[in-house]
């Protein structure tokens, strides 16, 4: 195995572990009975992109893209 392939494998493992932790840190999507009465529209719901939850969503999307790119690179057998 070449050095580049080892680096890609280690990067893939790091991305997988980080993605697992970030996904587990996120809150669930269920809003309960508050969604029926309209109570789900709060300050934090309106400014979700600026909150920690918004950051975790964006970070998860980036990690997913990195995961797929690394998996495809490792599967192509170029290295």
């Amino acid at each position: 195995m070449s050095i580049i392939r080892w680096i890609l494998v280690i990067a893939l493992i790091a991305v997988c572990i980080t993605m697992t932790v970030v996904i587990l840190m996120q809150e669930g999507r269920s809003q309960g009975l508050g969604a029926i009465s309209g109570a789900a529209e709060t300050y934090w719901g309106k400014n979700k992109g600026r909150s920690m939850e918004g950051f975790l969503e964006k970070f998860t999307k980036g990690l997913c893209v990195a995961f797929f790119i690394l998996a495809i690179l490792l599967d192509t057998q170029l290295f």
Side-chain angles (χ1 to χ4, degrees):
M1 235 188 208
S2 69
I3 299 295
I4 296 173
R5 186 162 179 85
W6 277 107
I7 292 171
L8 290 175
V9 169
I10 291 170
L12 182 68
I13 292 170
V15 166
C16 289
I17 292 171
T18 307
M19 191 169 23
T20 302
V21 170
V22 170
I23 288 172
L24 289 175
M25 287 174 57
Q26 293 180 14
E27 294 180 12
R29 293 275 182 202
S30 63
Q31 297 176 354
L33 294 177
I36 297 172
S37 64
E41 193 64 34
T42 63
Y43 174 77
W44 296 111
K46 292 178 184 175
N47 294 317
K48 188 176 181 182
R50 296 182 185 160
S51 67
M52 182 62 146
E53 187 68 23
F55 170 74
L56 289 176
E57 279 187 22
K58 292 176 187 175
F59 194 59
T60 302
K61 290 176 186 175
L63 286 172
C64 289
V65 169
F67 172 79
F68 282 111
I69 289 172
L70 288 171
I72 290 169
L73 282 175
L74 284 168
D75 188 50
T76 57
Q77 299 293 327
L78 293 174
F79 306 105

